[in-house]
Amino acid sequence: MPTREILTKADLAELHRSALGTANPLGVAADVAEAAEQGRLEDPDDAGDAFTLAAEIAEIRARPEAALRYAEQAVAAYPSGDDPRAGFARALRARALFRAGGHDDEAMAELTALRPLLLVQPDAPAYVSAALDAGGRSTTAETWLSEAVDTVLNEHAAAASGPASTTIDPVVDLGPPDAPGVAFFLLQQRHRVRRNLNLPHDRQDDLADRLETQLVRRAGERRDAESDLLFWPRAEFDRLLAEHPALTEVYGPDWDAHRGRLETELVRLRGAGQAGLGVFGATVAGLTAFAGRRGGDPADAAVRAGYAAEVSARPSARIAWPPERNDACWCGSGLKYKKDCLPRSRS
């Protein structure tokens, strides 16, 4: 990445998808952080997100000191520590403190401050529990998630019609397939943590399984009406077809066809009156992991529909569409939209 380049939101989104696959991910992290430090972001409000990306790369590449430095810059760049976007950066800071050694109390203080977010932010159960896992505190994660689940389910039961005591199962608002409620993510992460701890299956684990089955079924009911809008970046697309050749019929025989199908479907949806459109970045590892949890085949339509529903619920996976004609194309090719995917819906 050129060191004097102005970085746009689209650039940051593409780097989030591709940085770990480059020859020098830590160099990418340093360049992104430098761009934020030097004011080379098209939107200055993206500074927190840029530092968070750098911290995430450094943490994954086992560079806790760099991850800690970037995470602290990210937290400082957000308007306040209570900014919803700052939660993930603060959790990354805690992970880096754990990994650096000798800072466990400080890491736990940070995560304890984030604990209330478990009840209100769909992403919080994943990033808080992952940070606790990194610090060898999976048992604490199970306790926190269990208590949060109890609180949320009690709130749902109290809001439901009829006495809560007559309810056989807790009342849970699953939400639409593309935006499940916080209860779903709490139950999902609690189920994951308990499975990793080899704890016996309990009633809430059963509920987590049933809700995931419902989500898969509801997403599957939509798949005949519209595309799942999963976007596979080029390297992921090549790997997907290498491992699952049958998916050529679903996503196209090559990356150009894949992007063309998505562009055509997005144009169709816009013509049908839908607003706020976008595609959702997918990975083969993510699909494989989801299929493993479901005990299914990644090429199975119901499994893919469930994975699409899970991915589309993550704000970080969404790539807004359409970009301006002269802006970078949504596919991450580096070309202008008008020179790349825009014409694909017309071919």
Side-chain angles (χ1 to χ4, degrees), residues 299-313:
D300 181 76
V303 170
R304 287 187 287 101
Y307 174 63
E310 181 180 83
V311 171
S312 62

Side-chain angles (χ1 to χ4, degrees), residues 233-257:
R234 185 162 209 153
E236 294 292 337
F237 183 84
D238 292 344
R239 180 182 169 191
L240 180 73
L241 294 195
E243 295 185 12
H244 307 287
L247 292 181
T248 296
E249 296 183 9
V250 179
Y251 295 114
D254 55 46
W255 199 52
D256 285 344

Side-chain angles (χ1 to χ4, degrees), residues 163-182:
S165 60
T166 65
T167 305
I168 296 175
D169 282 319
V171 178
V172 180
D173 178 14
L174 185 60
D178 56 352
V182 68

Side-chain angles (χ1 to χ4, degrees), residues 199-219:
L199 294 176
H201 214 73
D202 66 6
R203 185 179 177 185
Q204 290 183 352
D205 290 320
D206 290 336
L207 179 59
D209 284 338
R210 289 199 298 275
L211 288 178
E212 189 168 338
T213 298
Q214 288 180 32
L215 192 69
V216 169
R217 185 184 69 249
R218 288 165 57 178

